[in-house]
Amino acid sequence: MISSHLTLKQLEALVCVVDMGSFRKAAAVLGTTQPNISNRITKLETDLSIVLMHRDAGSVRLTARGEKLVSAARQVLRSAEVFWEAAARQDLIVDRLRLGVTELIACTWLHPFLRRFRAAYPSVSVELEVGLSAEISKKFSAGDIDLALQPEPFPSKGGGSLALGVYDYIWVASPDHLDEIGVPGDLDDILRSPVLTHGKHTLASGGLLKQAERRNLPVNQIVYSNSLASCVPMAVDGMGTALLPRALVKEQLNSAALVLIKCDWHPEPLRFFARFHKDRAARFVEVAASFAAEEAEKHE
């Protein structure tokens, strides 16, 4: 018979301290106090009669036995999730999903994804961060994000990932704006009037600047924005020609509020992935990644 001394909360505390690197951060993630986390691990060490980790000035170092037992603890926790799923009681999985997404996902299929995840895991709260891909990559690498929905490139391709599709860029403008400037024939024509696009630090804008430099074209009419979504109403209002992902303006194209413009240059398309830490992610994180892949496919 399995000893009743061992609890899932003890294993959860052990794994979380290792993943977060400190008792304080683990307590914040698990929604409890640092002394509580310390007590759980101390009790586990006492029951096992071994030392799992060394505490050094706020950081932790696993012992050799601790390394082996952390791996085993992850398997137990994942098996517990499988057990709840088999019982159709995912509502008993109480946790949180730290989700990082870029603006394009937030403006397209994020809401149906969140509704689906909420229906599957009603007791798992979602902490959402919408930001630039570079910022999401940093937090993902630091372990502050469990699931990142973002485009390439990212610093490391390690861990788990699922493809979310390819999003191409297009040139669009309002009918009123085209009446004013005429229909552009190529990039040279487009850059003679205001152009609305993402910030300078993005791949698309960087590619546009390089292409303009290569052709010796003016760039003083390019209007950069840290928000892709804000470019859409500006384009509809006739404030300029916009370089945007097609998925972001699908509704405006269908309603003819914006018109597709042919051009002899486009940025490289965005290739999106759902990224998670495969070696340590809870099972519900992997399930969330699969939900994201399915919702992305529906949106294509």
Side-chain angles (χ1 to χ4, degrees), residues 29-100:
V29 168
L30 296 178
T32 186
T33 64
Q34 185 171 333
N36 197 5
I37 294 295
S38 182
N39 289 339
R40 291 180 193 177
I41 293 178
T42 299
K43 179 70 165 54
L44 182 59
E45 289 179 320
T46 300
D47 291 342
L48 296 173
S49 299
I50 60 175
V51 176
L52 294 170
M53 60 180 64
H54 300 296
R55 288 81 158 168
D56 298 321
S59 62
V60 295
R61 291 183 298 110
L62 285 172
T63 63
R65 292 289 298 279
E67 291 278 3
K68 293 181 179 179
L69 288 176
V70 165
S71 178
R74 293 188 194 280
Q75 294 179 36
V76 171
L77 293 173
R78 288 179 66 86
S79 294
E81 285 194 61
V82 173
F83 180 85
W84 295 131
E85 287 180 14
R89 290 303 306 273
Q90 289 96 320
D91 59 300
L92 296 178
I93 300 173
V94 181
D95 212 316
R96 72 173 181 175
L97 173 66
R98 297 170 300 168
L99 176 66

Side-chain angles (χ1 to χ4, degrees), residues 231-279:
C231 292
V232 177
M234 288 194 292
V236 171
D237 288 342
M239 296 179 64
T241 304
L243 176 61
L244 298 170
R246 184 189 301 269
L248 192 64
V249 292
K250 183 184 297 185
E251 180 180 333
Q252 288 76 15
L253 288 172
N254 289 338
S255 66
L258 291 175
V259 177
L260 180 66
I261 297 174
K262 293 182 179 180
C263 182
D264 59 348
W265 179 86
H266 293 84
E268 289 293 319
L270 298 170
R271 300 180 183 277
F272 270 80
F273 290 84
R275 304 175 63 209
F276 53 93
H277 303 280
K278 190 172 182 62
D279 59 335

Side-chain angles (χ1 to χ4, degrees), residues 223-238:
V223 180
Y224 301 100
S225 173
N226 287 330
S227 170
L228 271 176
S230 67
C231 292
V232 177
M234 288 194 292
V236 171
D237 288 342

Side-chain angles (χ1 to χ4, degrees), residues 96-152:
R96 72 173 181 175
L97 173 66
R98 297 170 300 168
L99 176 66
V101 307
T102 60
E103 190 179 17
L104 179 57
I105 301 301
C107 292
T108 50
W109 50 266
L110 178 63
H111 287 181
F113 163 76
L114 290 175
R115 286 194 295 269
R116 183 174 179 184
F117 182 78
R118 177 70 173 176
Y121 296 94
S123 299
V124 176
S125 62
V126 176
E127 295 184 2
L128 176 64
E129 175 152 348
V130 180
L132 299 174
S133 187
E135 297 170 352
I136 291 172
S137 287
K138 288 179 182 178
K139 293 193 174 184
F140 180 79
S141 297
D144 296 328
I145 286 178
D146 302 309
L147 178 63
L149 309 181
Q150 63 178 138
E152 289 183 314

